[in-house]
Amino acid sequence: MIGAGHKTFLYVCCFVCSLASSLIPDTAAKSQTPNPHHDHPNDKDDRDAIIQIGLFDLRPTLSVSEEFSDNIFLSDRHKKSDQISRIAPALTLQSNWQRARLRLIALGEAGFYAQSDDDDYLDGETGISGGFDIGPALAIDGKLNLAQHHEDRGGNDIPTGATEPVLYTEQSGEIAIRYIAGDIRYRTVLARRNLDFDDSTLAGGTIGNNDDRDRTETRIVMRASYPLGRGRAVFGETAFNQREYTNLPDDQGIYRDSTGYRFYTGMTFDVTNLIDADIGAGWMTQIYEDPVLQTNEGLSLRATVNWHVTRLTTLDFRARRDIDETTVTGASGIISEEFDFGVDHELRRWLRLRFNGGYEQDHFEGTKRTDQILRLGAGLRYDLNRFADLDASWRFDERHSDETGHDYQRNRALLTLRLKM
């Protein structure tokens, strides 16, 4: 049963939805002709929702949603269902300068569980990014972000018996240089990320130590591309990384610091705005300081494809094979293979239907554990007017694991109202 506080939240959402659809003027948003190259139908509407302040564009948005989940802790035997109310405001300030760029963001999300109050959370993020075109062949960009996030109970690296989500802070920054020499385009990126996880309160009042996950990741990416003709280019990319943990050794007596590299080669396509793709394959290696942890290496893959089949239908595809971090006992890392696809179709100018699916296989290197994850989903979005839309969706995910206790199935139903002030 929904508590009084959540009933009030629902009443407020309904009132805001009604107010948005009735009071905000709808200036023929449903009668405009789509761009022949299938620009997003709301591009112009988004522009109308922007507040201009001198040489800056201010874009405030607000999202409120209700979710029902039948397995909030991703458990196989002890499923618990709950209703989650979320509110997510966002504010973006973007410059309109000629040769320079500046962007400020402030994001937030608060989640409230109807029954499991201990899982309520408050996330937030602030960031600044900018760049400058030094000349026609040289540009520099950079960004800094500070965020507080959470991980729901039931995750691989969350201590067994945790009674609340794990909070962590993330500090990240990067600087990128783009340079054109003749027909060759170069791009170099230096990025750094710091993660700091709070400890967990466990059943019985004891404390679960998450400091073993605290780390700093440094990454250098160098990419060169050469055009082969209209809308096509071949590229080569090299990436180096260093992952340094704060606590050495960790509670298991292991030194988890590592260094790695990835080599990619591939092609990009941009065919008259109908098909755009970035497809690359190569080799990856992650070498760990502790000899107990085995070296991870193998084929690396990255693919992104968007195909605007017609003015009304879009297909997208994503694939990835990479090495992820984990502190699961005995595992040096996770070699993750992911494949995702989606179909987006406009039933009407104001009504959009989407189907999506995905498959993921995670190999916990150094152990016998392999997880297989299936994802399915469907959604329907109704544009109330230029400033508001309503989204109803269903999502299903299922995990099968070689280790007992890690299987689960979860169904989620979501209703989201998005406002663009």
Side-chain angles (χ1 to χ4, degrees), residues 13 66 157 301 344 399:
C13 291
E66 285 292 325
D157 294 292
L301 174 67
D344 193 292
R399 180 171 70 188

Side-chain angles (χ1 to χ4, degrees), residues 253-296:
I254 296 176
Y255 293 82
R256 287 195 171 270
D257 284 1
S258 65
T259 57
Y261 62 85
R262 287 153 183 77
F263 298 130
Y264 286 107
T265 184
M267 294 187 67
T268 60
F269 304 87
D270 188 357
V271 184
T272 62
N273 291 331
L274 296 178
I275 300 176
D276 60 88
D278 187 319
I279 302 173
W283 190 259
M284 61 184 179
T285 298
Q286 198 72 28
I287 304 171
Y288 298 86
E289 178 179 334
D290 199 313
V292 174
L293 302 177
Q294 71 175 47
T295 296
N296 295 330

Side-chain angles (χ1 to χ4, degrees), residues 210-417:
N210 288 315
D211 292 337
D212 285 350
R213 301 178 63 192
D214 297 348
R215 62 185 183 270
T216 298
E217 300 176 354
T218 304
R219 178 169 51 94
I220 300 175
V221 180
M222 295 173 287
R223 176 167 172 151
S225 61
Y226 181 81
L228 297 178
R230 186 176 180 180
R232 293 177 299 143
V234 62
F235 71 85
E237 181 178 304
T238 302
F240 299 92
N241 73 75
Q242 184 175 39
R243 300 170 182 177
E244 301 173 290
Y245 281 77
T246 302
N247 283 4
L248 293 175
D250 63 14
D251 290 347
Q252 303 173 34
I254 296 176
Y255 293 82
R256 287 195 171 270
D257 284 1
S258 65
T259 57
Y261 62 85
R262 287 153 183 77
F263 298 130
Y264 286 107
T265 184
M267 294 187 67
T268 60
F269 304 87
D270 188 357
V271 184
T272 62
N273 291 331
L274 296 178
I275 300 176
D276 60 88
D278 187 319
I279 302 173
W283 190 259
M284 61 184 179
T285 298
Q286 198 72 28
I287 304 171
Y288 298 86
E289 178 179 334
D290 199 313
V292 174
L293 302 177
Q294 71 175 47
T295 296
N296 295 330
E297 58 184 356
L299 175 68
S300 184
L301 174 67
R302 184 184 63 211
T304 302
V305 180
N306 297 295
W307 179 20
H308 306 296
V309 182
T310 69
R311 292 185 300 172
L312 303 178
T313 304
T314 301
L315 303 178
D316 58 78
F317 173 78
R318 305 286 184 274
R320 180 185 82 101
R321 191 174 195 268
D322 210 341
I323 300 172
D324 298 329
E325 289 292 288
T326 185
T327 54
V328 169
T329 301
S332 56
I334 299 174
I335 293 185
S336 180
E337 301 163 349
E338 295 184 55
F339 304 90
D340 294 278
F341 73 92
V343 182
D344 193 292
H345 180 70
E346 291 180 29
L347 299 172
R348 293 290 187 271
R349 171 68 177 167
W350 39 270
L351 190 64
R352 301 174 67 85
L353 179 66
R354 179 172 177 82
F355 296 98
N356 60 275
Y359 174 79
E360 178 179 345
Q361 187 164 264
D362 294 334
H363 305 272
F364 290 75
E365 298 300 303
T367 74
K368 296 181 179 180
R369 177 179 172 183
T370 297
D371 292 352
Q372 299 179 62
I373 302 170
L374 176 67
R375 295 184 288 267
L376 296 172
L380 191 65
R381 194 183 82 179
Y382 175 68
D383 292 333
L384 300 171
N385 50 51
R386 294 178 301 163
F387 301 95
D389 64 72
L390 193 62
D391 191 303
S393 62
W394 163 79
R395 301 174 189 175
F396 170 80
D397 53 307
E398 178 181 45
R399 180 171 70 188
H400 292 288
S401 178
D402 291 345
E403 285 195 3
T404 304
H406 297 290
D407 294 348
Y408 73 83
Q409 286 186 347
R410 177 176 60 171
N411 285 278
R412 293 185 290 165
L414 299 96
L415 182 64
T416 302
L417 170 68

